[in-house]
Amino acid sequence: MRRIRSSEITPEHVYLNRRQIIIGLGALAASSALAACSSEPDATMPATQEPAGTAEVGAEATAPAATAGPDATAMAAQLQNELTPFESVANYINFYEFSLSKDRVADLARDFRTSPWELEVGGLVQNPKTFGLEDLLRFEQEERIYRMRCVEAWSMVIPWNGFPLSRLLAEVEPTSQAKYVYFETLYDPDQMPGLKSPVLDWPYVEGLRLDEAMHDLTILATGLYGEELPPQNGAPVRLVVPWKYGFKSIKSIVRIDLVEEMPVSSWMAASPREYGFYATVNPDVPHPRWSQASERIIGQGGRRETELFNGYGEQVAHLYNGMDLEKNF
Ligand SMILES: Nc1nc2c(c(=O)[nH]1)N[C@H]1C(S)=C(S)[C@@H](COP(=O)(O)O)O[C@H]1N2
Ligand SMILES: [Mo]
């Protein structure tokens, strides 16, 4: 068991992140107090048959203590109430390689082999390199408490452990030709029963523009609630991009390539009308089949109003200056 201590965390980062979250959570608390419980079923992504109900049961899951440091104790006390319980984060799961049923993934992924693991990083770089999990854990690990907003109109607040993707990219040294980053999930039919389903073209692939990938909020996560990442949450290493819909945050990554052309993600290929490359959270741009104006709060009940860029506009809006994000959804 690997516990990431707050003493290992860069203080400035933590304070900054926690402060920003506190500000955001004030708004969250206010809006969820006003929100009525809705019986409206959750939206679902294409071709899924999953039931709309919540699945926040987790017999095998126990909630480890959060890793708030002494300096952050007061703030953590406030945050604690708002964090999505570990049981919900680990049991209400979209990971289609295992199952389209959110409440079945944790079980089906229980014996997923995450070690040894190789993450190959290449393409338009000076220094192509293969990282084992041990190599990834050598990057200084931080705690990042982020909102997660699924395109299906539900949300969580999740304490990740990980490190900025920019640090890994700096090691491989992208060439001046590199404009985008391509990500690929493991494809292993022996371990992933969901790959039999034709819902997506496997492997699951995603992409970011290079400046999005280099943004400090973009992390590779290796842990959750101060513990190893559970397999169902994308162990041993997954992307987290908190201002974009959850499907961009690709799990169990085996390959990262720096490329010149915009990658076509699995969801773009499956339904280009519904899922675009940018997928920035935007309450004013409805999904063709449902509204994105509000979101169901997993683990707590109630709804809150969805925020532009999922509440991270101050940090990321400049990336899209002069761009029409309704066209470039
Ligand atoms: N490889 C892969 N990555 C994936 C998915 C998936 O099905 N396969 N689902 C995505 C979706 S739709 C969401 S909302 C998030 C959920 O992450 P979480 O289960 O850790 O909350 O993972 C994303 N990453
Ligand atoms: Mo999602």
Side-chain angles (χ1 to χ4, degrees), residues 1-4 58 60-68 80 83-91 143 158-161 223-230 232-233:
M1 185 179 70
R2 180 175 45 82
R3 192 171 273 281
I4 295 154
E60 78 282 2
T62 50
T67 53
Q80 213 57 40
L83 289 180
T84 306
F86 177 82
E87 285 79 0
S88 299
V89 181
N91 289 285
E143 185 184 49
I158 305 179
W160 302 105
N161 307 96
L224 175 67
Y225 264 105
E227 306 284 349
E228 257 175 55
L229 205 54
Q232 62 270 30
N233 293 100

Side-chain angles (χ1 to χ4, degrees), residues 45 48 50 88-114 117 148 150 152 154 156 160 184-189 191-197 199-200 202-206 221 224 229-239 246-254 266-267:
M45 295 164 92
T48 71
E50 64 202 68
S88 299
V89 181
N91 289 285
Y92 189 80
I93 299 288
N94 276 336
F95 199 166
Y96 282 9
E97 284 86 336
F98 289 94
S99 173
L100 306 187
S101 303
K102 291 178 172 55
D103 57 346
R104 293 192 60 220
V105 175
D107 230 22
L108 291 167
R110 189 190 309 274
D111 298 321
F112 183 55
R113 279 189 305 279
T114 56
W117 192 269
M148 164 74 80
C150 177
E152 296 167 339
W154 52 261
M156 302 187 187
W160 302 105
E184 195 178 294
T185 294
L186 178 70
Y187 175 85
D188 184 353
Q191 296 197 80
M192 297 168 143
L195 293 175
K196 290 193 204 85
S197 154
V199 60
L200 294 174
W202 310 108
Y204 194 105
V205 302
E206 258 306 338
L224 175 67
L229 205 54
Q232 62 270 30
N233 293 100
V237 60
R238 61 92 55 85
L239 185 69
F247 66 85
K248 298 294 292 183
S249 292
I250 182 173
K251 295 177 171 181
S252 305
I253 304 168
V254 292
S266 296
W267 281 107

